[in-house]
Amino acid sequence: MTFSTLATRLRTVFSFDLRSLALFRVMLALVVLADLALRSLDLRTFYTDAGVLPRADLLEIGHRWHWSFHVASGELWWQVVLFVVAALFALALLVGYRTRLASIGTFLMVASLLNRNPLVLQGGDQLLGVICFWAMFLPLGARRSVDAALRPEKRDRPNQPLHPPEGLQPYFSIATIAITFQVLYLYTFTALMKTGDAWITRFDAAYYAVSLQHFATPIGTWFATFPAWLLKGATLFVLVVEFTAPLLVLLPFLWPRLRLLGLALLASLHVAFGLMLHIGLFPLIDLTSLALLLPGATWTWLLARRHAAGTRREQIVIHYDRDCGFCLKTCLILRELLLLPDRLVIRPAQDDATIGALLERENSWVVTDADDRPRLHWHAMAFLFRESPLFRPLGWLMSLPPFVALGNAVYGQVQRYRYRLSEFTARTLAWRTMRLRPTITGSLLAAFFFYVVTAYNVVGLPQVRGQKPPLVDHAARMTRLDQHWNMFAPYPLTLSSYALVPGVLRNEEQVDLMPLTSSKADWTAPESFYGLYDGYRWRKYLGRVDSHENNAVRRAYGDWLCRSWNTPTRTRETQLATLEVHFVKYRTNTEGAPKARSSRMAWRHWCFAEFAPKKS
């Protein structure tokens, strides 16, 4: 093999297909929106000064290089505003509108949110921040986006074929090299960190993981009953995949078969983890990062199957009013976002005398199918959705009589204000040139941060235990690239736990401040402890209350419990006076014996100074 051939193959390995970038963009936006929705359920509790981590306490436990817009105010309204802004950026990213700006805004809002409360973060949050950062270096709007629809060349030649053609759409830069390694670092470094006996000697790690009563799903609990040899095999499978699949992804030989095999193996881990463990969005975030690495051959194969099954779809013609300023833009955007074939023709209705007369008479755009049957008004929109490979169910829903009536009313209003809409979209949906070549500045930054993440991961290995250079540490923390992939490493958790928070009122009545648990002697914990938490972020938070080295975490939690109970409407006698935070733990064993139970008090708190311990 010549050097030139090897260089070409390596370039192929580190190139991203533009359609894979489009898939990644959509998945990333949906994950961010889902994350915002889940976090909003505890918005006041986790992100305001009235919650479990006021800004004053955050200053004690947070890192000084972790910045956050969310710290500008501790009021609820400010957090709501920032959540809405983050959602708007994510929605813009979803449809590919001003994609570069949307990706920058999404990263800034996600990083700011992660830094506001580190006590509720898990590995998936680290990965989300990392991929949001690297997304800024990629042309995510090059395909299937509003930006792609509004390229200036589409204004005069809306049916011009793509160049390069569908079967060959690679994007290569220093950033793609860095991002490829970044995605694979998660697996390589977490495998290198798994040095405990349960991973490399006894192979009991899978059994310990699915035996965690506060982690395991019903499927995981069922899997724990499987024969020991099968669970040991699962442990070995995880290790083998984490070590070998990244190599399969990177090999330039037998391309793209080995790449697809490696991605399938990695995806199988995430599917299994998601089915067996309550780890929130982590598996979906992982799958989002893997979408970047899908080779172009995947899309070529899918398009070939789609072309063979749907040639009639390519014969659809969308006829628009040439005199309508935003109509062409709307048609182009629909073709892009509905995943309709690029061969689908868009032309002025006035080019066809019959169609032009129909448009004038009905005051409507016209969509004709392969049989030249015209569809008008809302029926035309519903028809296009039905022809979309992704939105077909929505198209059938849009065809139902109630939605047709509503849709026609909306369409009538659009027609009524079409000229104002043309003026508005001339600014908001302007024709924009798309740059697909990496810039020198972007390449230099990508190279620098590639060094940062590599050094940060290597120095973080237990086999190295080095001191991070200040430049690396500060740059990583400022950009949320401070990553440590130690999931269930160096050894898996062996303790299942839940919290007990008994309190005493002024009138000496005892109460339980954790509604789902009880300190009463006759209370029995259920088989699954996950139901004793209000979701996986609460489980993560209470785990930090138990284990964090800084008492400010426990003090802030106690203060929040006092505030939550002692509302202004509560009488003085029924005010909460003192409380204790206990953690009950059950240790997993591989001998089949009952789990040993232990309990410890992590914190004692008083709500009023008069109940503080008297100094001797």
Side-chain angles (χ1 to χ4, degrees):
M1 180 185 297
T2 65
F3 176 79
S4 176
T5 302
L6 180 60
T8 300
R9 290 190 177 185
L10 288 175
R11 184 184 177 95
T12 300
V13 167
F14 292 107
S15 294
F16 291 166
D17 190 276
L18 297 181
R19 294 157 296 184
S20 297
L21 292 182
L23 175 63
F24 168 76
R25 185 195 78 235
V26 171
M27 293 178 68
L28 177 60
L30 290 175
V31 164
V32 171
L33 289 170
D35 185 59
L36 289 171
L38 291 174
R39 290 178 190 271
S40 67
L41 300 177
D42 296 296
L43 187 58
R44 181 190 295 274
T45 304
F46 286 153
Y47 302 106
T48 72
D49 283 350
V52 296
L53 189 63
R55 290 172 297 162
D57 294 297
L58 173 64
L59 292 176
E60 289 194 45
I61 68 168
H63 196 280
R64 64 191 182 95
W65 288 95
H66 279 166
W67 55 271
S68 177
F69 301 133
H70 294 70
V71 181
S73 172
E75 298 296 325
L76 178 62
W77 69 267
W78 178 245
Q79 308 307 317
V80 171
V81 168
L82 293 183
F83 267 61
V84 171
V85 170
L88 291 176
F89 276 123
L91 287 172
L93 187 65
L94 178 67
V95 299
Y97 174 70
R98 307 250 176 143
T99 313
R100 184 73 68 183
L101 176 62
S103 62
I104 294 172
T106 298
F107 163 69
L108 291 175
M109 299 311 298
V110 168
S112 173
L113 183 58
L114 297 183
N115 291 337
R116 175 57 183 90
N117 190 343
L119 301 178
V120 298
L121 303 185
Q122 60 164 355
D125 299 306
Q126 287 186 54
L127 183 59
L128 182 60
V130 165
I131 61 177
C132 281
F133 172 82
W134 286 112
M136 297 187 294
F137 290 83
L138 299 172
L140 300 183
R143 293 290 183 267
R144 298 302 177 182
S145 66
V146 174
D147 290 346
L150 298 180
R151 290 173 292 183
E153 57 267 29
K154 292 293 183 182
R155 176 172 46 195
D156 301 317
R157 291 170 291 179
N159 304 307
Q160 181 181 15
L162 288 174
H163 181 76
E166 286 283 358
L168 184 62
Q169 300 184 34
Y171 175 80
F172 174 78
S173 69
I174 293 177
T176 61
I177 298 174
I179 296 168
T180 300
F181 279 104
Q182 172 68 90
V183 171
L184 300 178
Y185 279 171
L186 183 152
Y187 309 100
T188 302
F189 283 96
T190 192
L192 291 172
M193 289 185 181
K194 289 172 178 171
T195 57
D197 291 344
W199 283 108
I200 61 177
T201 303
R202 302 193 311 271
F203 302 112
D204 294 329
Y207 174 75
Y208 281 120
V210 294
S211 297
L212 294 172
Q213 291 166 268
H214 61 309
F215 260 95
T217 66
I219 294 177
T221 302
W222 172 64
F223 189 68
T225 64
F226 280 33
W229 64 267
L230 185 59
L231 291 165
K232 291 179 184 292
T235 301
L236 187 60
F237 177 76
V238 171
L239 277 177
V240 170
V241 169
E242 289 179 340
F243 272 116
T244 62
L247 295 176
L248 295 176
V249 169
L250 292 176
L251 284 175
F253 311 107
L254 295 178
W255 177 272
R257 294 181 181 85
L258 291 182
R259 164 68 63 95
L260 290 172
L261 175 60
L263 293 178
L265 289 171
L266 294 175
S268 70
L269 293 184
H270 302 309
V271 172
F273 296 158
L275 290 174
M276 297 185 188
L277 300 172
H278 288 289
I279 49 178
L281 297 175
F282 202 168
L284 296 179
I285 299 170
D286 280 308
L287 293 173
T288 298
S289 68
L290 292 179
L292 280 169
L293 306 182
L294 277 175
T298 307
W299 304 107
T300 302
W301 178 78
L302 289 173
L303 284 171
R305 290 177 59 87
R306 177 181 169 187
H307 179 71
T311 53
R312 289 176 59 84
R313 188 181 293 122
E314 297 176 358
Q315 300 176 42
I316 296 171
V317 180
I318 303 177
H319 306 268
Y320 68 94
D321 185 357
R322 181 186 285 123
D323 300 325
C324 171
F326 73 94
C327 292
L328 173 59
K329 295 176 180 178
T330 302
C331 295
L332 290 168
I333 291 171
L334 285 173
R335 185 171 67 182
E336 287 285 340
L337 297 187
L338 295 183
L339 307 185
L340 296 171
D342 291 311
R343 297 183 184 91
L344 185 150
V345 175
I346 298 173
R347 66 163 62 109
Q350 289 83 353
D351 288 356
D352 184 304
T354 303
I355 297 296
L358 184 60
L359 179 144
E360 291 293 334
R361 185 176 69 251
E362 298 293 336
N363 196 25
S364 168
W365 67 332
V366 183
V367 177
T368 56
D369 59 17
D371 300 320
D372 290 330
R373 185 189 314 163
R375 288 172 172 80
L376 308 170
H377 305 294
W378 184 255
H379 289 286
M381 183 70 74
F383 171 72
L384 291 178
F385 271 80
R386 289 199 305 274
E387 292 299 316
S388 168
L390 185 61
F391 297 102
R392 186 170 301 164
L394 183 58
W396 289 111
L397 185 65
M398 293 166 63
S399 302
L400 296 177
F403 293 100
V404 170
L406 178 62
N408 282 332
V410 172
Y411 187 86
Q413 292 300 311
V414 170
Q415 284 296 104
R416 181 180 179 183
Y417 296 104
R418 56 187 299 187
Y419 294 108
R420 292 186 182 179
L421 285 172
S422 296
E423 295 174 357
F424 177 73
T425 56
R427 297 186 299 272
T428 58
L429 294 176
W431 301 101
R432 288 182 166 273
T433 301
M434 182 177 297
R435 183 185 181 94
L436 290 181
R437 291 187 177 182
T439 63
I440 295 177
T441 302
S443 297
L444 291 175
L445 284 173
F448 170 71
F449 284 110
F450 183 27
Y451 157 71
V452 167
V453 298
T454 302
Y456 204 94
N457 277 287
V458 170
V459 175
L461 286 173
Q463 299 91 329
V464 178
R465 298 183 183 276
Q467 184 70 29
K468 298 182 182 71
L471 177 63
V472 168
D473 186 62
H474 298 163
R477 293 185 185 277
M478 281 286 291
T479 54
R480 284 306 312 188
L481 294 175
D482 46 334
Q483 51 200 267
H484 194 56
W485 309 119
N486 61 338
M487 293 76 69
F488 292 97
Y491 43 80
L493 298 175
T494 60
L495 293 172
S496 305
S497 67
Y498 62 86
L500 288 175
V501 189
V504 178
L505 306 184
R506 283 184 180 273
N507 60 13
E508 299 186 354
E509 177 186 352
Q510 293 189 348
V511 294
D512 285 309
L513 302 178
M514 280 284 289
L516 298 174
T517 64
S518 175
S519 57
K520 294 180 174 61
D522 59 349
W523 186 82
T524 303
E527 278 296 313
S528 173
F529 295 170
Y530 184 74
L532 303 179
Y533 297 89
D534 289 327
Y536 70 98
R537 293 208 184 278
W538 270 104
R539 182 194 61 210
K540 177 61 69 174
Y541 168 73
L542 288 171
R544 298 270 167 71
V545 170
D546 179 24
S547 63
H548 204 283
E549 60 186 14
N550 196 323
N551 280 333
V553 173
R554 287 168 281 279
R555 184 183 66 242
Y557 180 51
D559 288 340
W560 175 74
L561 289 170
C562 291
R563 289 194 303 271
S564 300
W565 183 278
N566 294 329
T567 60
T569 58
R570 193 172 294 278
T571 62
R572 187 177 187 279
E573 287 303 307
T574 58
Q575 287 179 336
L576 182 64
T578 62
L579 62 95
E580 295 176 349
V581 181
H582 297 256
F583 287 94
V584 179
K585 302 184 180 183
Y586 292 80
R587 183 174 296 277
T588 304
N589 63 80
T590 57
E591 291 78 33
K595 295 181 179 181
R597 183 185 185 277
S598 62
S599 177
R600 82 173 188 94
M601 185 181 70
W603 187 249
R604 178 180 287 116
H605 197 85
W606 52 92
C607 299
F608 302 96
E610 62 193 270
F611 296 103
K614 301 298 186 291
K615 294 182 180 181
S616 56

